[in-house]
């Protein structure tokens, strides 16, 4: 078996996931894990699949046909076999404040400086109540190496929260 990570993007329409799932199944593959989303009229996904070695070439050819067939562009990369991450603590981050440029950059730079890894990030904007402009909101799942101090991460984020004038919560996943 060979493990692939697929990235897929296309204009949203019914049947995109079904077409991709059919290609995996028709080549004896197994859909292992995925994250799929719709943003600004575009469907995007990342999918991990396992395929029998003898079916790989036919599968890769079938993926090329999906763009013409259903409008889904798919790239496939062999998943690198890496050692599992070392011991870590899971944290959850929630941020809410007035939307402005550079927020994601500043927060992620602070996280990087503390050795944190972002396992998942979801962000969005929405109108503030009573015509108060746009709000930016983000949620992230973080992994902090055991040798890192959670208090240092919290301090780095609170400094940024004060500068950006945002509410920021950092706690263990619930």
């Amino acid at each position: 078996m060979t493990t692939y990570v697929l990235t897929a993007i296309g204009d949203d329409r019914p049947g995109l996931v079904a077409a991709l799932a059919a290609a995996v199944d028709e080549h004896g593959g197994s859909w292992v894990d995925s994250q799929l989303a719709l943003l600004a009229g575009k469907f995007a996904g990342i999918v991990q699949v396992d395929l029998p070695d003898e079916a790989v070439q036919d599968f890769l050819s079938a993926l090329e046909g999906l763009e013409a067939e259903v409008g889904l562009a798919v790239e496939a990369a062999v998943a690198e076999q890496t050692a599992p991450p070392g011991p870590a603590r899971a944290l959850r981050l929630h941020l809410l404040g007035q939307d402005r440029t550079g927020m994601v950059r500043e927060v992620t730079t602070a996280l990087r400086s503390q050795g944190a890894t972002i396992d998942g990030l979801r962000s969005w904007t929405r109108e503030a109540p009573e015509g108060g402009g746009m709000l930016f909101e983000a949620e992230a799942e973080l992994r902090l190496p055991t040798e890192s101090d959670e208090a240092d991460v919290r301090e780095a984020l609170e400094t940024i929260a004060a500068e950006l004038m945002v509410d920021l919560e950092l706690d263990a996943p619930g």
Side-chain angles (χ1 to χ4, degrees):
M1 295 292 270
T2 303
T3 300
Y4 277 87
V5 174
L6 311 177
T7 55
I9 190 163
D11 291 333
D12 183 41
R13 63 177 280 249
L16 296 178
V17 176
L20 183 56
V24 172
D25 186 56
E26 289 167 4
H27 293 89
S30 175
W31 188 291
V32 178
D33 197 1
S34 63
Q35 292 190 19
L36 311 171
L38 178 63
L39 292 170
K42 295 286 186 187
F43 165 82
I46 184 167
V47 182
Q48 178 185 341
V49 298
D50 289 337
L51 291 157
D53 293 332
E54 64 275 6
V56 166
Q57 288 308 312
D58 288 341
F59 174 71
L60 295 176
S61 294
L63 291 182
E64 291 175 11
L66 288 178
E67 188 162 15
E69 198 176 302
V70 295
L72 187 64
V74 182
E75 291 187 25
V78 174
E80 298 295 324
Q81 301 302 323
T82 59
R89 286 172 288 154
L91 295 172
R92 185 186 62 84
L93 170 69
H94 181 259
L95 179 138
L96 175 64
Q98 288 289 353
D99 187 28
R100 65 169 249 201
T101 60
M103 293 174 78
V104 173
R105 180 181 183 181
E106 291 186 44
V107 171
T108 57
T109 298
L111 291 170
R112 181 187 65 200
S113 75
Q114 299 301 313
T117 299
I118 300 171
D119 288 337
L121 172 66
R122 172 143 164 48
S123 64
W124 60 96
T125 57
R126 60 182 166 97
E127 289 192 35
E130 301 179 25
M134 293 299 288
L135 294 175
F136 176 83
E137 193 163 1
E139 294 176 345
E141 296 86 41
L142 309 175
R143 190 169 11 105
L144 189 62
T146 55
E147 66 272 8
S148 293
D149 185 1
E150 185 177 330
D152 291 342
V153 174
R154 186 175 303 281
E155 183 178 326
L157 290 172
E158 286 174 353
T159 299
I160 288 173
E163 292 170 9
L164 296 175
M165 295 185 295
V166 298
D167 292 328
L168 191 135
E169 299 172 21
L170 182 67
D171 53 29

